[in-house]
Amino acid sequence: MLDWYDAHRRDLPWRAKPGEAADPYRVWLSEVMLQQTTVATVTPRFRAWTARWPDFESLAQASDDDVMAAWAGLGYYARARNLVACAKAVVADHGGRFPATEAELRRLPGIGDYTAAAIAAIAFGEHATVVDANVERVVARLFRATTKANVREAAETITPPDRAGDFAQAMMDLGSAICTPRKPRCLLCPLRDDCAALAVGDQEAFPVKAAKAARPQRYGTIFWAQAGDAVMLVRRPPNGLLGGMRALPTGPWQETQPGIAEAPLTADWTMRKATVAHGFTHFNLQLALATARVERHALPVGGEWWPVDSLGEAGLPTVFAKAAAAIGEADA
């Protein structure tokens, strides 16, 4: 695997060049960004982020609004909040440098078992076993392992004591380019002679996935209150989904469609024909759109007026950006 990696490794902006030491900050940031998105999506976002916040010190001083806006579209916003919390902890408690062991890394905000292992192996050369989705697929097929526990145990048996970080990245690259979910390119695989699934011919049956439960459907209403050339935004509660972020006002998200009873202020609300659909990890959401023209003095406590023409700079979560776009298209 290491010989294959030396010949075929991907050139990624967070990955150290051959012979160079890995930057722990860049390794950590890339691993968090890649948890819900693809390399193609993350690459330009990673470059923009590191141009703005190139190290722990700069990120620790960043404003929450700026970080949340930069994170839009990269998955759970709690991860962005944890990035800032972790950067602050590294600066305050570790002199601006990551601790080098897997156990110490797990004590930092937002760093779980997988991320700690990846940082320890890739950035510090610790003998840590790294199992992401690509590695899981390779190992499951290699051993015909049927459970995550079996995959983990098998991965531990093949992780070398030296170059554990390069081995982890080699397995990631193999899963991305060769051992793909569908139609794996087995003839090009350096592990083909040892692959139990290839020997049987059931590669695509692995990894074995549990049946997914249907995501429940929820409904809500988004309220667009416009005063002149500005629209009302609010802050979502600090805890919970999209916590602490700027958003358009919305009523509860529930099993039946609410009306305008949860509107943020009294106004002559008009229900639009357009609706917005958005999928979260644990449920699907269908949102009705209600609009009204109001006076600026009607702004409730906790609200703010934001120029409609620069709404893209407000850092709205994707679901609210979709709603704003739908209203803009209807009014065009």
Side-chain angles (χ1 to χ4, degrees):
M1 275 307 304
L2 291 171
D3 289 343
W4 179 87
Y5 180 66
D6 290 339
H8 299 285
R9 59 184 288 153
R10 287 180 290 180
D11 183 15
L12 301 173
W14 49 84
R15 186 175 283 179
K17 304 291 184 186
E20 293 181 352
D23 181 344
Y25 174 82
R26 297 171 76 87
V27 172
W28 162 68
L29 179 62
S30 67
E31 289 296 338
V32 177
M33 283 187 167
L34 287 164
Q35 287 178 21
Q36 282 185 275
T37 42
T38 64
V39 166
T41 298
V42 166
T43 296
R45 305 291 295 277
F46 178 89
R47 289 195 172 106
W49 185 291
T50 51
R52 189 172 188 179
W53 302 299
D55 50 32
F56 290 109
E57 289 82 359
S58 56
L59 183 56
Q61 296 172 14
S63 74
D64 287 346
D65 285 345
D66 288 344
V67 169
M68 294 301 171
W71 189 261
L74 289 174
Y76 293 130
Y77 286 92
R79 292 199 173 116
R81 291 193 292 273
N82 281 333
L83 283 173
V84 176
C86 185
K88 289 179 178 177
V90 169
V91 171
D93 303 330
H94 299 278
R97 295 178 179 272
F98 255 149
T101 69
E102 190 176 356
E104 290 177 296
L105 287 163
R106 277 197 296 265
R107 298 190 185 103
L108 291 168
I111 296 185
D113 291 345
Y114 164 76
T115 308
I119 297 168
I122 297 169
F124 298 109
E126 187 175 79
H127 184 210
T129 301
V130 183
V131 182
D132 73 348
N134 281 321
V135 177
E136 179 185 6
R137 185 166 56 255
V138 173
V139 175
R141 290 171 174 171
L142 188 62
F143 291 87
R144 294 187 84 242
T146 57
T147 69
K148 289 185 179 292
N150 294 153
V151 168
R152 176 77 190 185
E153 291 168 2
E156 289 174 350
T157 68
I158 61 173
T159 300
D162 299 320
R163 295 185 69 186
D166 283 347
F167 180 78
Q169 292 175 108
M171 295 287 276
M172 293 174 186
D173 284 5
L174 186 70
S176 173
I178 304 294
C179 196
T180 50
R182 295 181 181 85
K183 298 183 179 178
R185 303 162 69 193
C186 298
L187 291 178
L188 301 178
C189 180
L191 302 178
R192 62 185 178 274
D193 292 339
D194 299 306
C195 182
L198 177 60
V200 174
D202 61 356
Q203 304 94 301
E204 292 193 37
F206 294 89
V208 177
K209 297 189 186 226
K212 290 185 179 180
R215 288 190 291 186
Q217 180 70 52
R218 295 183 184 172
Y219 302 88
T221 303
I222 282 182
F223 298 95
W224 178 279
Q226 186 167 343
D229 59 358
V231 63
M232 188 177 80
L233 300 182
V234 296
R235 286 278 180 183
R236 291 184 62 80
N239 299 317
L241 197 60
L242 310 178
M245 300 197 67
R246 282 196 186 98
L248 293 165
T250 177
W253 297 344
Q254 57 191 45
E255 294 181 0
T256 58
Q257 179 65 59
I260 61 171
E262 301 296 330
L265 48 80
T266 301
D268 186 13
W269 293 102
T270 299
M271 300 301 299
R272 297 297 187 99
K273 291 182 179 179
T275 61
V276 170
H278 189 74
F280 290 101
T281 303
H282 301 299
F283 65 94
N284 293 318
L285 182 63
Q286 187 79 26
L287 292 163
L289 304 176
T291 61
R293 289 279 179 172
V294 299
E295 300 294 332
R296 277 188 170 262
H297 62 75
L299 186 68
V301 175
E304 62 177 315
W305 294 117
W306 195 278
V308 173
D309 289 345
S310 61
L311 198 55
E313 301 171 14
L316 296 180
T318 302
V319 61
F320 297 104
K322 284 182 180 179
I327 291 169
E329 289 172 4
D331 290 342

